[in-house]
Amino acid sequence: MAEPLAPATGQGVVHLFWKVPTPGSPVPPADVDAVRIAVKAAEADGVQVVPVAMLGHKADLATMALGTDLWRLRRLQTELAAAGLVLVDSYVSLTELSEYAPDTVSEGQRRVRLWPQLPPEGKTAWCFYPMSKRRWVGANWFTLSYDERRELMMEHGASGRKFAGRIVQLVTGSTGLDDHEWGVTLFGVHPDDLKEAVYTMRYDQASAHYGDFGTFYTGMVAGLDEVLDRVGLG
């Protein structure tokens, strides 16, 4: 067995997006019992697994998994694929603290950002998207001074705090790990809470002038058995 591979701070996060083989397709049907066993075994090893029933054509099912050992996250991915789910997209990141607020983060806030307890109660609307900061001529985030970047992010954070109680946001770092620099996962009370939060925050200069966004995924969070049933694996 490989030695555990863990980040020095925080934990690994992998968003896995799956298709469920349909009856009559050349792909064998998925083994729902094997899916359940894989998720329960991961949870028994301390991995948080958030199952999401997806809307739209991009995927049927998402499994968002957080854990300290990247090898254990890889094992979950392997076992779900072996159970017959078809992986169609993924995103790899790490929980992190923002570099722009190291002096203002309390121990409780630090714990929430590095070791979040998911999913938050009462927030079953879910979306995920990756994002980066631009390097365009005339709009290069990385040529700004630290103080300029920090001021813009303070404005961005103030906009986000307007949605306290309606939205829980987890921003994870992926620079050098995946195609974008951050992954953003939102849990909302209502689906239009997600829409309003993203729309509102796009007017902040940090987003409007410097933000690039990847593909959005949307779905609903529920218990594993309900999600499996809703995606045709009940």
Side-chain angles (χ1 to χ4, degrees):
M1 296 290 291
E3 290 293 321
L5 178 62
T9 303
Q11 56 189 320
V13 184
V14 61
H15 291 72
L16 301 172
F17 299 97
W18 307 92
K19 282 284 190 180
V20 175
T22 57
S25 73
V27 180
D31 183 339
V32 64
D33 290 331
V35 172
R36 289 193 183 99
I37 290 170
V39 171
K40 296 300 183 184
E43 291 175 335
D45 288 338
V47 175
Q48 289 189 80
V49 182
V50 179
V52 187
M54 302 302 297
L55 284 168
H57 75 286
K58 298 169 191 169
D60 298 316
L61 169 70
T63 49
M64 176 186 180
L66 302 85
T68 54
D69 181 9
L70 301 192
W71 282 111
R72 188 61 186 86
L73 297 180
R74 173 65 244 197
R75 179 180 157 194
L76 173 62
Q77 179 179 333
T78 299
E79 292 175 347
L80 291 174
L85 299 178
V86 179
L87 188 62
V88 292
D89 203 357
S90 65
Y91 203 80
V92 178
S93 58
L94 304 173
T95 60
E96 66 173 13
L97 296 174
S98 170
E99 65 178 297
Y100 304 110
D103 300 326
T104 61
V105 176
S106 68
E107 182 57 36
Q109 291 171 321
R110 174 185 172 87
R111 187 166 53 252
V112 165
R113 295 180 187 184
L114 295 177
W115 307 96
Q117 297 301 303
L118 300 176
E121 185 176 358
K123 295 176 176 62
T124 57
W126 183 95
C127 78
F128 170 80
Y129 59 93
M131 68 166 297
S132 296
K133 290 292 194 257
R134 288 176 181 156
R135 292 176 171 84
W136 295 1
V137 175
N140 190 330
W141 178 259
F142 298 95
T143 62
L144 300 177
S145 69
Y146 173 82
D147 288 341
E148 288 174 311
R149 287 183 280 121
R150 187 176 188 274
E151 182 178 351
L152 292 174
M153 290 308 296
M154 292 301 98
E155 176 198 27
H156 200 51
S159 292
R161 286 191 290 276
K162 296 175 182 177
F163 294 90
R166 297 167 58 190
I167 293 285
V168 168
Q169 172 185 267
L170 177 64
V171 179
T172 50
S174 51
T175 302
L177 303 177
D178 218 313
D179 295 339
H180 289 75
E181 293 161 347
W182 294 275
V184 181
T185 307
L186 300 180
F187 297 83
V189 177
H190 304 289
D192 42 335
D193 292 330
L194 307 176
K195 176 177 175 289
E196 184 179 349
V198 174
Y199 180 77
T200 298
M201 297 179 75
R202 284 193 175 189
Y203 282 92
D204 299 333
Q205 190 174 355
S207 180
H209 198 57
Y210 295 104
D212 277 327
F213 297 83
T215 299
F216 278 68
Y217 284 92
T218 302
M220 296 79 66
V221 175
L224 178 62
D225 286 341
E226 181 174 356
V227 167
L228 294 178
D229 181 62
R230 296 302 184 106
V231 302
L233 284 173

